[in-house]
Amino acid sequence: AQSVTQLGSHVSVSEGALVLLRCNYSSSVPPYLFWYVQYPNQGLQLLLKYTTGATLVKGINGFEAEFKKSETSFHLTKPSAHMSDAAEYFCAVNPLEGGGFKTIFGAGTRLFVKA
Amino acid sequence: DTAVSQTPKYLVTQMGNDKSIKCEQNLGHDTMYWYKQDSKKFLKIMFSYNNKELIINETVPNRFSPKSPDKAHLNLHINSLELGDSAVYFCASSRPREGVTEQFFGPGTRLTVL
């Protein structure tokens, strides 16, 4: 069965420091991979996605993620954290089975940014 | 223009009542979803409709009944509300058969059952 594991339910960084949010997945075939961000009292919005091709994908707000098939990972990074990055981040996988209707979400990682 | 909208944004009600949440999307997508997010932010798929046909029905009490009158609307009716139903409910849409596998989420409906 497909699953998504986000390591660390909470991550705290200082403003200006590197942001690294970890995501590992299990899937029998290469899936489509996503990162979503959820700001307080809002819905989720797409940060970036990997479908095929270049394994390093860039998203909004300076975030990027790298698909590593051998490690079944899709970690999210940002070189320099801003206070406005404080939010909940969700890694998600679409295994593309049965029409690609189902997306499986990780449990989320709350990012705290200290001044 | 709001892409995926939900009403109401907040819903406070007593145990045992029946309530509905409405969702509309203007993105031209053919697939819509309902998710439940608990207090720990865990997101759980409840239902999905494609072209008004139910395609995903996870283990959800039959007190929850989705209805899709057309591709742009997916409503959720909940009977006999219980304390454990308190959560934030999100509607989302996508178009996976045309390669739009990412989901577009509404702002959420915070349901509080007293």
Side-chain angles (χ1 to χ4, degrees), chain A residues 1-105:
Chain A
Q2 297 84 6
S3 66
V4 179
T5 302
Q6 292 184 238
L7 295 175
S9 58
H10 296 85
V11 170
S12 182
V13 300
S14 297
E15 195 173 19
L18 171 72
V19 176
L20 171 61
L21 304 183
R22 299 178 187 273
C23 173
N24 288 86
Y25 68 91
S26 68
S27 178
S28 54
V29 296
Y32 286 3
L33 296 159
F34 309 86
W35 276 99
Y36 289 83
V37 61
Q38 184 181 25
Y39 298 104
N41 298 314
Q42 295 185 25
L44 282 71
Q45 54 183 279
L46 183 70
L47 265 182
L48 49 79
K49 67 176 179 179
Y50 170 78
T51 55
T52 58
T55 56
L56 181 64
V57 291
K58 294 185 185 299
I60 61 172
N61 301 338
F63 284 93
E64 60 183 36
E66 186 171 11
F67 169 57
K68 292 188 176 180
K69 185 178 176 181
S70 61
E71 298 177 7
T72 59
S73 69
F74 191 56
H75 301 331
L76 181 71
T77 60
K78 181 174 179 177
S80 175
H82 293 171
M83 297 296 288
S84 59
D85 294 327
E88 191 86 22
Y89 292 80
F90 293 91
C91 181
V93 58
N94 185 323
L96 303 178
E97 295 173 347
F101 293 105
K102 192 169 184 178
T103 295
I104 300 155
F105 286 85

